[in-house]
Amino acid sequence: MAILEILKYPHPILKKRCEKVERLDGEVKRLIKNMTETMYHANGVGLAACQVGVPKRVIVVDVSPIDPEQDYFALINPEVIAEEGEIEYEEGCLSVPGCSEKIKRFQKVRVKGVSEEGREVEISGEGILAIALQHEIDHLNGVLILDRMSRLKRDLYRTRLKKERRKEEDD
Ligand code: NI
């Protein structure tokens, strides 16, 4: 297993719509293992493959640090098939460091996909699990929390990022 580099905004891969996985082969299984190790190493509760530079529809999720009743899982080609209610929660993202913002999402979702073992599965989640599922599926469609924030807040983050970069270059 290996800890992979997590790409940061504005890396172009993060803006891409990711490709469906056609075959659950050793490469995909290895990717899942490495993504899982990378997520835990970064203290994240979810990670999408594009965040480690692989534009494929694969996510790993483990929200147990926030909701101890939940477990780790990986999901291939996840797709939201039902959604209901509304929730607002302060989200962060490993690819958008230093950004933490309240985002509105569905309170409950039902997602179908393929498990790591190749089985068709459906996962129903509410609260933090629903949020994590929607956040990671957003990544697969090239959508970041920045895209779900107000324009003003997004511009503030971009300005702050540019200033930090300039400072780094000057140092
Ligand atoms: Ni994220």
Side-chain angles (χ1 to χ4, degrees):
M1 289 209 282
I3 291 163
L4 307 170
E5 188 200 345
I6 297 175
L7 303 182
K8 308 285 189 307
Y9 171 84
H11 196 290
I13 287 186
L14 296 171
K15 291 301 293 172
K16 272 178 98 160
R17 195 186 152 82
C18 301
E19 300 275 323
K20 238 177 143 175
V21 173
E22 299 295 347
R23 220 160 50 94
L24 180 50
D25 54 14
E27 196 184 322
V28 174
K29 287 185 178 168
R30 202 156 45 242
L31 170 68
I32 289 171
K33 294 272 174 295
N34 289 338
M35 282 171 63
T36 305
E37 201 181 350
T38 304
M39 170 180 74
Y40 287 135
H41 181 256
N43 292 318
V45 294
L47 196 68
C50 55
Q51 290 182 277
V52 293
V54 181
K56 284 185 182 163
R57 303 187 82 78
V58 178
I59 63 172
V60 293
V61 174
D62 186 351
V63 295
S64 63
I66 300 165
D67 180 355
E69 280 179 27
Q70 304 301 333
D71 283 320
Y72 161 85
F73 61 90
L75 205 54
I76 298 152
N77 300 334
E79 210 180 306
V80 177
I81 51 172
E83 48 202 21
E84 110 181 46
E86 197 180 270
I87 190 169
E88 204 177 23
Y89 187 83
E90 191 155 323
E91 292 181 34
C93 178
L94 296 171
S95 293
V96 192
C99 181
S100 170
E101 208 48 64
K102 278 195 172 164
I103 312 270
K104 255 189 215 152
R105 302 212 185 251
F106 294 106
Q107 203 269 334
K108 261 184 181 178
V109 289
R110 191 162 179 79
V111 174
K112 71 166 187 179
V114 173
S115 75
E116 213 173 336
E117 294 79 31
R119 275 196 310 269
E120 296 223 355
V121 290
E122 282 189 17
I123 293 171
S124 287
E126 54 184 298
I128 185 63
L129 178 56
I131 291 163
L133 281 163
Q134 291 168 87
H135 179 118
E136 299 316 327
I137 293 171
D138 261 0
H139 273 299
L140 303 184
N141 297 323
V143 175
L144 294 172
I145 52 171
L146 290 169
D147 303 303
R148 296 211 175 266
M149 285 158 42
S150 71
R151 195 196 177 110
L152 176 71
K153 285 183 173 155
R154 187 162 60 236
D155 288 345
L156 280 172
Y157 180 76
R158 285 193 184 134
T159 308
R160 184 149 55 90
L161 200 66
K162 269 184 211 150
K163 270 190 201 150
E164 278 167 17
R165 288 247 176 80
R166 227 174 288 147
K167 230 176 107 192
E168 274 167 27
E169 281 165 21
D170 291 345
D171 285 346

